[in-house]
Amino acid sequence: MSMSMVVSNSYLDSILKGQPQLPPSSTTWFNQLRAHALEQAGTLQVPTTRDEEWRFTDISPLTRLPLRPSHAISAPQVTDVKRFQLDDTTIRLVFVDGAFMPHLSSRLEGSEHEGLVVTDLSVAVATHASVIEPHLGRLAGFENNLFAALNTAYLHHGALIIVSRNAKIQKPVHVLFIATQAGTAIHPRCLLIAQGGSEVTLVEDYVALQDEAYVTNAVTEIALENNARVNHVRVQRDSMEAFHIANCAVSVAHASCYRSVSVALGGRISRYDLNARLEAEGAECFIDGLALIKGRQLADTHTCIDHAKPPGTSRQSHKCIVDGAAHAVFNGKILVRAGALRTDSAQSSRNLLLSARARVDTKPQLEIFADDVKCAHGATVGQLDHEELFYLRSRGLAETAARNLLTYAFGAEIIDRIPIASLKYQLEQIVLEQTEKTGP
Amino acid sequence: MIREGSRILLEVRGLRAVVNGIEILKGIDLTVRSGEVHAIMGTNGSGKSTFAKVLAGHSAYQVTGGSVLFEGRDLFDLSPEERARAGVFLAFQYPIEIPGVANSHFLRLAYNTVQAQRGKEELDPLEFEDFVRDKMKLLEMNPEFLDRGVNEGFSGGEKKRNEILQMALLEPRLAILDETDSGLDIDALRIVTTGVNKLSTADNAIILVTHYQRMLNYIVPDFVHVMRAGQIIKTGGKELALDLETRGYDWVGAEQPAMAGA
């Protein structure tokens, strides 16, 4: 059996068939990267629950989804997507079923965008090759990661954000991925490069126009150079029937600070892998997450905070609110490498089960190879507190209203950390609505 | 204040209740009319707080006998929220902290829920802000308590003020104050009791549950009831509280033993 271009199963076959023929890029390294990724994808298997990293997450339903090529559709108009826009910003990149939509995206003009490049990757590989090449496909390795390999193999359109040295971008950059077609596989891609001393907020946002089954397979790469600060907000509100697989790789350089809040609401099955590597002294990361799921949803978050150099700081709070027969998974690895002395790390995993059939599997995973480190971690799984419920009801609130309010409060701590008022408000409304629909 | 011909608000007859299979209330009789202030006193474990929670509808307490009518309606037909909307209010001995819910949001929800039930106008956040700030003056509360989580990090005294603030907003017919004086220093006690007195009208009634006589210097009761072992064993006027203060609780039982078969 030839190992080179043989796809490992019919699922991959269908994914490959599902892709439009990519236009060849004039940039050789880019073509090579894609070819290498495609080759790599051919050697990898779809993970099963026999793989430790996928123990709780059976993605076999994903492989049974009949995929077809996404066909040219009449692109949505501004009015169709207006509800997804954020009031706080005009800096916007919009992709529909993976394709860049210039007419829905903003053009950067004026001095407030000085030092900021926000553009479609397929154009920029030629114009910004020297900046992109050291990072693209290198931060998010695909040697052992089928989904990252597939995404890279189909690299074409994508979001590219470059913040020049010392530029402080006040308004958030909103990258909106809109899914519109059933039965398609979409491979969204983001690359953010924050050069030395720069500051930026990125909102990575996945939405759907309809409740249909499709596959989102996203890869995001974020490079923070020395003294950079990045706020990364990720909102996964894919369709309730969708499959959402995402890999995010972050490198945090000397004295730079990465803050991330990820919120998972949608998807029949969703999986988010976040790898943050603290590469140099004084690097910090703050990684928070919230999964709010119900029905038969499964939401799996795997994070790895890699303390490679001393002294680094990391803080992580992950919360899951699970209703119906839904299943949440959290695996939070903290790796402290030999020599990463005086690492200061704290992780908490708190989970709220709203029904008897709801389930959560949470696993803190500390791997420490250095001395003189502080690594605190804790996990709790609980239900709504009866005394709190009684207190609210004794003030006239109906039982469902009381439950919703307490559920909302549990998640609010994470949502509050999103530094964008309009997005915070949108999410608060979604959480309130979702809890209202599910009720007791 | 005792008035001729005032309406009966609450009528408790032979009330019995158990918690975790242990009988705590063993036949309570009590009648409260509008305009009246009743103090229920007694030692720890006498059942005073259980009585308060049973009236509010706490699910941990199972009513096993007797009846309670509130304005003629069977109180036990009503859920806790229905009781609140009908005008029963319990100021908690230990108010619950709810981080993540802004106090202002909670207060407005409660206020609007009760207003809607009474067919009155609900207030939007801005209107409510003015309204609640005005009420907070009554309790000398700093408006910053609106922005914090419900009771989150409040001192004991601040929590009790927040309870009475809720009473001021919800305007109950019957307010049951469960050891509202506990944990209060003398200034806080004065502020809280002054607030309660201002809320006391001819149309509502107050039941004060307390260990000590000191709160009754500020809120003068019309009736003082002594509870022991799940029953009211003696009822008197405000002077009974003073007797208890000087003589303790022991003599009460000796003078007037609990009814046989209780």
Side-chain angles (χ1 to χ4, degrees), chain A residues 387 391 393-396 399, chain B residues 58 81 85 90 163 166:
Chain A
E387 295 302 321
Y391 187 65
R393 294 177 71 191
S394 80
R395 298 307 183 243
E399 188 175 358
Chain B
H58 195 295
E81 56 268 35
R85 295 170 196 169
L90 171 65
E163 291 295 286
Q166 291 163 44

Side-chain angles (χ1 to χ4, degrees), chain B residues 6-62:
Chain B
S6 56
R7 290 179 311 121
I8 292 177
L9 281 182
L10 184 76
E11 199 159 27
V12 182
R13 290 290 168 264
L15 177 62
R16 289 171 173 270
V18 300
V19 61
N20 297 329
I22 301 165
E23 187 168 57
I24 307 287
L25 302 185
K26 301 175 179 176
I28 292 191
D29 296 299
L30 179 68
T31 301
V32 178
R33 292 182 161 80
S34 60
E36 294 176 350
V37 176
H38 290 246
I40 297 182
M41 304 185 70
T43 53
N44 275 334
S46 58
K48 330 184 277 299
S49 282
T50 297
F51 181 43
K53 285 193 169 156
V54 166
L55 292 181
H58 195 295
S59 61
Y61 304 90
Q62 194 193 343

Side-chain angles (χ1 to χ4, degrees), chain A residues 268-301:
Chain A
R268 161 86 181 78
I269 294 176
S270 69
R271 164 73 177 240
Y272 181 48
D273 275 73
L274 170 62
N275 285 278
R277 189 175 151 94
L278 307 187
E279 310 267 8
E281 291 190 10
E284 294 182 312
C285 75
F286 299 83
I287 292 177
D288 298 311
L290 172 68
L292 175 69
I293 52 172
K294 61 184 177 184
R296 290 166 56 241
Q297 283 183 285
L298 184 153
D300 180 348
T301 303

Side-chain angles (χ1 to χ4, degrees), chain B:
Chain B
M1 188 179 293
I2 304 171
R3 283 189 177 82
E4 278 297 313
S6 56
R7 290 179 311 121
I8 292 177
L9 281 182
L10 184 76
E11 199 159 27
V12 182
R13 290 290 168 264
L15 177 62
R16 289 171 173 270
V18 300
V19 61
N20 297 329
I22 301 165
E23 187 168 57
I24 307 287
L25 302 185
K26 301 175 179 176
I28 292 191
D29 296 299
L30 179 68
T31 301
V32 178
R33 292 182 161 80
S34 60
E36 294 176 350
V37 176
H38 290 246
I40 297 182
M41 304 185 70
T43 53
N44 275 334
S46 58
K48 330 184 277 299
S49 282
T50 297
F51 181 43
K53 285 193 169 156
V54 166
L55 292 181
H58 195 295
S59 61
Y61 304 90
Q62 194 193 343
V63 174
T64 50
S67 65
V68 176
L69 296 180
F70 176 69
E71 298 198 297
R73 296 167 77 183
D74 184 347
L75 196 64
F76 300 135
D77 281 347
L78 306 179
S79 64
E81 56 268 35
E82 288 167 336
R83 296 180 199 194
R85 295 170 196 169
V88 176
F89 178 85
L90 171 65
F92 281 53
Q93 181 179 4
Y94 303 110
I96 310 292
E97 295 195 19
I98 309 178
V101 179
N103 202 27
S104 56
H105 183 62
F106 161 65
L107 295 172
R108 190 169 69 87
L109 265 181
Y111 176 79
N112 279 343
T113 304
V114 169
Q115 285 289 101
Q117 184 72 20
R118 294 171 186 167
K120 291 185 188 166
E121 195 193 350
E122 298 179 43
L123 298 181
D124 69 29
L126 284 176
E127 294 166 333
F128 182 74
E129 180 90 9
D130 291 339
F131 178 71
V132 71
R133 276 170 181 259
D134 202 46
K135 298 280 182 192
M136 289 174 93
K137 285 182 196 151
L138 184 74
L139 293 153
E140 301 180 29
M141 275 178 88
N142 188 327
E144 75 165 47
F145 286 106
L146 290 174
D147 300 328
R148 293 170 51 179
V150 175
N151 293 322
E152 188 183 4
F154 288 24
S155 72
E158 288 156 358
K159 284 181 182 167
K160 297 299 172 75
R161 286 193 219 191
N162 206 34
E163 291 295 286
I164 304 306
L165 175 63
Q166 291 163 44
M167 175 180 167
L169 291 171
L170 303 184
E171 298 182 333
R173 273 281 153 71
L174 176 69
I176 305 151
L177 311 188
D178 188 6
E179 310 231 359
T180 296
D181 52 337
S182 69
L184 294 187
D185 62 29
I186 220 67
D187 285 333
L189 181 65
R190 177 186 52 77
I191 292 163
V192 163
T193 52
T194 304
V196 172
N197 281 330
K198 283 187 184 152
L199 298 173
S200 172
T201 70
D203 290 326
N204 61 25
I206 295 169
I207 298 176
L208 303 168
V209 173
T210 181
H211 274 295
Y212 304 107
Q213 190 267 339
R214 72 170 188 161
M215 181 159 70
L216 308 182
N217 290 334
Y218 298 89
I219 306 173
V220 180
D222 302 301
F223 299 95
V224 173
H225 310 277
V226 179
M227 270 188 80
R228 174 179 298 162
Q231 290 187 315
I232 290 175
I233 56 168
K234 188 173 178 68
T235 293
K238 63 184 178 206
E239 62 290 341
L240 176 56
L242 294 168
D243 281 350
L244 293 168
E245 184 77 356
T246 50
R247 298 172 65 188
Y249 283 102
D250 287 345
W251 63 274
V252 185
E255 187 184 75
Q256 186 180 333
M259 283 191 299

